[in-house]
Amino acid sequence: MKAIQVKEPGAPDVMRIAEVPDPRPGPGQVVVRVRAAGVNPVDTYIRSGAYPLKVGLPYTPGIDGAGEIASVGEGVKVWKTGQRCYIAGSLTGTYAEMSLCMAANVHPLPEHVSFSQGAGVNVPYATAYRALFQRANPRPGDMVLVHGASGGVGIAACQLGRAAGLRVIGTASSERGRRLVLENGAHYAADHAKAGYMTEVLNITGGEGVAVILEMLANVNLDHDAAILARNGTVVVIGSRGRVEIDPRNLMSRDANVHGMSLLSLPEEDAAVIHSALAAGLENRTLRPVVGQELPLERAPESHQAVMRPGAYGKIVLVP
Ligand code: NAP
């Protein structure tokens, strides 16, 4: 089969298409014929060698994907060849024509959800669900700021938040990104590249502050976030690309909370809850992953450049 291979960490062009043996399922495993692979920022951190999680070399990138079950290993009862599924973690990588997965890490994909959309479910929606409902847990009516709402996690958070009765403010730096944020459940959209936009956010809340902030770029925003939280408010740090200095008094005076989260440390029982909820949301069409760009597998290097560029618009996926 064809797969992207990385022989050494480095710039995007270390990802090259190669011919590799087809994977075979062992006990408790399935092989998925990948119809689309999701590109996540974490794939770029791992590829560049900058991520704490080290992988053996050579390796095939990709955590997310969607396709059909190609074969099942011994003891696998729930899956049959040909069934549609999305992948939430792969043993051999998803930037490939086939991917070996533990059966427990593969979930049903309804007919009305395309494979490209399915490739945008796991990391974005599991992260948004985890941050909103397992780390912050706001109540219906609460104001939530999705700080970086135009990308994979942000769009998922807008859809989930709106469905749960939250008042959602989403930010994006482009006009089309802000339109997308509004189309996907946000009540208000603000421009995080514009001076003074945090005052605009505070004004939307009538000066009360927001109950929850889902933060995609904490190294830039955490200090300012603390200043627009409501009393007992919570920031969930989802993304950060460096260090930050904050004024702790803003947290103290509000009895505020800062929570971190990482999908890497997600306990199995919480993951099971998340994927049950996501399956229901896909089924009843509350959750509608937005695919902004589809590229052929061999253009993986371009996809890694694009996912790190400003002007996010939903998900980028690779099509084998
Ligand atoms: P993405 O699709 O590339 O989207 C990035 C988002 O960040 C876009 O909405 C972008 O907006 C926004 N952004 C850019 N500059 C910003 C700023 N100054 N303030 C606020 N937002 C800003 O990435 P993603 O998949 O949504 O992931 C978002 C972040 O979370 C990434 O850093 C990723 O590594 C991290 N993440 C962490 C976990 C975890 O387990 N903790 C899981 C998934 C993702 P514009 O492009 O419109 O400017």
Side-chain angles (χ1 to χ4, degrees), residues 32-36 65-69 83-86 109 115:
V32 178
R33 181 170 299 283
V34 179
R35 301 296 182 187
E68 296 127 342
I69 301 292
Q83 284 181 317
R84 291 163 55 89
C85 61
Y86 74 87
L109 186 70
F115 290 125

Side-chain angles (χ1 to χ4, degrees), residues 100-276:
L100 180 68
C101 306
M102 294 308 298
N105 292 340
V106 168
H107 305 281
L109 186 70
E111 277 303 325
H112 66 264
V113 184
S114 72
F115 290 125
S116 289
Q117 287 180 299
V121 173
N122 174 48
V123 168
Y125 282 85
T127 300
Y129 190 98
R130 173 81 172 159
L132 260 183
F133 303 122
Q134 295 182 340
R135 301 299 282 134
N137 208 14
R139 291 169 308 182
D142 279 350
M143 298 282 314
V144 174
L145 172 65
V146 182
H147 212 170
S150 48
V153 179
I155 292 294
C158 290
Q159 293 177 1
L160 285 163
R162 181 66 178 252
L166 305 172
R167 305 286 300 165
V168 181
I169 307 168
T171 74
S173 64
S174 69
E175 178 66 43
R176 77 173 194 139
R178 289 190 292 282
R179 264 202 313 275
L180 184 70
V181 165
L182 291 171
E183 284 161 12
N184 282 279
H187 296 84
Y188 309 93
D191 177 358
H192 54 236
K194 192 172 102 185
Y197 78 99
M198 287 297 248
T199 309
E200 190 185 324
V201 171
L202 193 57
N203 289 341
I204 292 169
T205 71
E208 290 287 308
V210 291
V212 170
I213 300 177
L214 303 190
E215 184 49 72
M216 306 302 160
L217 201 57
N219 57 305
V220 173
N221 296 323
L222 191 58
D223 191 40
H224 312 294
D225 287 345
I228 64 151
L229 277 178
R231 194 169 170 72
N232 293 315
T234 300
V235 183
V236 184
V237 176
I238 295 175
S240 187
R241 294 180 179 166
R243 299 177 65 85
V244 59
E245 186 177 308
I246 67 163
D247 181 352
R249 283 192 183 279
N250 282 325
L251 299 172
M252 293 155 66
S253 59
R254 292 168 173 78
D255 281 352
N257 313 287
V258 179
H259 293 329
M261 68 143 287
S262 168
L263 270 196
L264 281 182
S265 53
L266 185 64
E268 260 177 44
E269 58 275 24
D270 291 348
V273 168
I274 290 172
H275 288 288
S276 298

